[in-house]
Amino acid sequence: MSAKALFSKFTSLTDKRDPKKSTHILAEVMFISVCAILCGADDWNGIRLFAEHKEGWLRKHLTLPGGIPVAVTFNRIFATLDPEEFRKIFIQWIRDVLSGLELSDSKIVALDGKTVKGSAWNKGKDAIHMLNAWCTEAGLSLGQYKVDEKSNEITAIPELLKLLELSGSLVTIDAMGCQKKIATAILKKEADYLLAVKGNQKKLYGEVTRLFDQYWQDNLEDAPDHYFAEQEGKEHGRMEHRRCWVINDVTEDSNAASWRAKTIAAIQLDSSKKGKGKTLIRYFICSCQLSAAEVLQATRKHWLIENQLHWVLDVAFDEDRCRTREGFAAENLAVARQVTLNLLKLDTTVKAGIKNKRKTCGWNEDYMMQVLKLVDL
């Protein structure tokens, strides 16, 4: 499924401008913006400069009745564009993309939030916070939802879940998302959950910690099997050792059972750097039966959303320094970045990081066409 299919959906976007005063076609402005971001533009002036330098190429695919839009026009259009419509188009497009990929039946979908820090630079407003969904197996963004300024991720998560196709997936969320309403919403989507448990759920946390304290007291020796697993590795200059224990026989009268949990897990992380070490124990509940090795794998994969999405948006797209704020512009621009990130992730013809792939698109028109898959237009 190419960008061509996505761009065809742009024509269905609602244009809120006065048609008598509009000289630029909305779908064409969106096309130009995505292409510009793909080629390294990070702000409205960058998008305009791309369009000016690529006007000849753009005219092969677009009509451009008003010529090349100025920077404030790009800003104004993104500020007035309905973010819900744009988000739904993105989610529909990537759903079609995933249907053409060979993924396992139990893919992991990680949910986590990211603040676009630069969006707080003026007008005394807080920076926007985007809740993102990431398919760890495909390495693709599945969708996003802006967290309301007067709310938090707890209210945004169910709204994003409604939009996603999750059947057969394992949805992983940190402790903030450990809410019965969220767990129920995931199960209703015919998916399973793996939720981190902390003190914000006092009864559940107390029960889980007591169960493992008793388990460790009764099982002094650990041997690798279904109920115990361990990993060693090196991360960011730290030596790390992870140990995981699971309990699958959740009793019907327990608090965990009221969450419809079938597995509870504990992971101990021992890390050391420059001679200094620390130990951390984290607890989880899961709605399906998992072995200790499977829990370790799932919790490790959850953090790919930080390394492959959030970090890349900051380093390769300079998202944290983007000062766009007017109207819905910041939210819509965040979605546009994830459109281009997915396009670059889907292309495997160039072995390079996302930042250098963007540069290659700007330097090499043939490669840009390859990424966009517009060669047949």
Side-chain angles (χ1 to χ4, degrees):
M1 185 67 62
S2 69
K4 182 179 178 181
L6 173 65
F7 296 144
S8 68
K9 295 180 185 295
F10 287 162
T11 58
S12 66
L13 288 168
T14 302
D15 194 343
K16 297 182 179 180
R17 299 173 298 165
D18 183 347
K20 295 180 181 178
K21 299 178 181 179
S22 303
T23 57
H24 304 288
I25 298 171
L26 175 60
E28 294 191 355
V29 172
M30 299 304 296
F31 177 91
I32 294 169
S33 301
V34 169
C35 290
I37 296 169
L38 190 68
C39 292
D42 292 322
D43 55 29
W44 308 122
N45 283 322
I47 292 172
R48 174 188 60 83
L49 283 170
F50 164 84
E52 288 180 352
H53 287 289
K54 292 289 187 180
E55 183 173 357
W57 178 83
L58 288 169
R59 287 191 179 278
K60 295 177 182 178
H61 307 289
L62 309 175
T63 60
L64 299 178
I68 298 299
V70 295
V72 292
T73 299
F74 285 107
N75 186 10
R76 185 170 61 250
I77 288 175
F78 269 74
T80 57
L81 183 67
D82 184 347
E84 184 175 352
E85 262 195 296
F86 190 27
R87 181 170 56 245
K88 285 181 178 178
I89 281 177
F90 172 89
I91 291 173
Q92 290 167 358
W93 168 66
I94 200 60
R95 186 180 298 170
D96 292 341
V97 169
L98 288 173
S99 69
L101 301 178
E102 293 184 5
L103 301 178
S104 67
D105 294 332
S106 56
K107 61 182 181 291
I108 294 173
V109 175
L111 266 60
D112 196 33
K114 181 184 183 299
T115 301
V116 183
K117 297 177 182 178
S119 60
W121 77 282
N122 66 356
K123 299 184 180 179
K125 295 184 178 181
D126 293 333
I128 70 165
H129 189 76
M130 300 293 290
L131 174 68
N132 298 310
W134 184 254
C135 178
T136 64
E137 185 177 353
L140 297 171
S141 170
L142 301 183
Q144 52 291 119
Y145 198 93
K146 179 177 174 289
V147 178
D148 187 83
E149 290 181 6
K150 298 181 180 179
S151 183
N152 56 37
E153 290 180 19
I154 294 174
T155 56
I157 290 172
E159 297 303 317
L160 180 55
L161 290 173
K162 290 177 185 177
L163 302 173
L164 302 176
E165 173 54 56
L166 296 171
S167 180
S169 301
L170 178 64
V171 180
T172 61
I173 315 177
D174 64 17
M176 180 175 283
C178 187
Q179 307 287 329
K180 275 191 178 180
K181 181 180 178 181
I182 291 172
T184 301
I186 293 170
L187 293 172
K188 285 183 177 179
K189 299 287 287 189
E190 299 182 347
D192 283 299
Y193 65 74
L194 178 65
L195 305 177
V197 181
K198 288 187 178 179
N200 60 324
Q201 294 291 343
K202 291 183 180 179
K203 288 184 178 180
L204 180 63
Y205 183 76
E207 177 182 84
V208 170
T209 55
R210 285 193 300 272
L211 282 170
F212 275 105
D213 286 343
Q214 186 64 49
Y215 177 88
W216 290 321
Q217 184 177 328
D218 297 340
N219 297 271
L220 300 178
E221 297 290 332
D222 291 322
D225 60 11
H226 177 91
Y227 303 102
F228 173 74
E230 57 187 333
Q231 293 176 342
E232 288 187 349
K234 189 174 183 179
E235 292 285 340
H236 307 294
R238 299 188 303 268
M239 292 302 299
E240 295 186 346
H241 184 198
R242 298 177 186 83
R243 310 171 78 204
C244 179
W245 300 264
V246 298
I247 298 173
N248 293 134
D249 52 342
V250 179
T251 59
E252 293 183 2
D253 60 346
S254 66
N255 191 278
S258 70
W259 289 68
R260 295 170 64 184
K262 294 182 180 178
T263 298
I264 61 173
I267 294 179
Q268 176 180 312
L269 171 62
D270 298 316
S271 63
S272 61
K273 186 176 183 179
K274 295 181 179 180
K276 295 182 179 180
K278 64 178 181 179
T279 296
L280 173 69
I281 298 179
R282 301 182 69 208
Y283 299 94
F284 301 85
I285 59 171
C286 181
S287 60
C288 61
Q289 287 209 354
L290 295 181
S291 69
E294 289 170 331
V295 171
L296 268 182
Q297 182 184 46
T299 54
R300 293 288 289 146
K301 285 188 174 182
H302 172 81
W303 294 110
L304 291 176
I305 191 172
E306 288 286 349
N307 299 329
Q308 296 183 358
L309 178 61
H310 298 166
W311 185 83
V312 170
L313 289 172
D314 285 338
V315 173
F317 291 85
D318 212 14
E319 182 172 79
D320 261 359
R321 292 203 297 173
C322 180
R323 293 187 170 191
T324 294
R325 181 74 208 202
E326 185 180 342
F328 302 117
E331 182 177 355
N332 286 323
L333 191 55
V335 176
R337 290 189 198 99
Q338 294 194 32
V339 169
T340 60
L341 175 60
N342 278 355
L343 288 170
L344 291 164
K345 287 275 190 179
L346 286 164
D347 180 79
T348 58
T349 61
V350 168
K351 302 299 181 183
I354 297 300
K355 189 171 184 177
N356 282 326
K357 278 188 172 185
R358 292 182 77 197
K359 289 179 179 179
T360 306
C361 283
W363 295 329
N364 187 328
E365 216 168 80
D366 290 338
Y367 180 62
M368 177 175 64
M369 296 282 282
Q370 169 64 31
V371 172
L372 292 168
K373 293 184 172 57
L374 295 177
V375 290
D376 56 337
L377 287 184

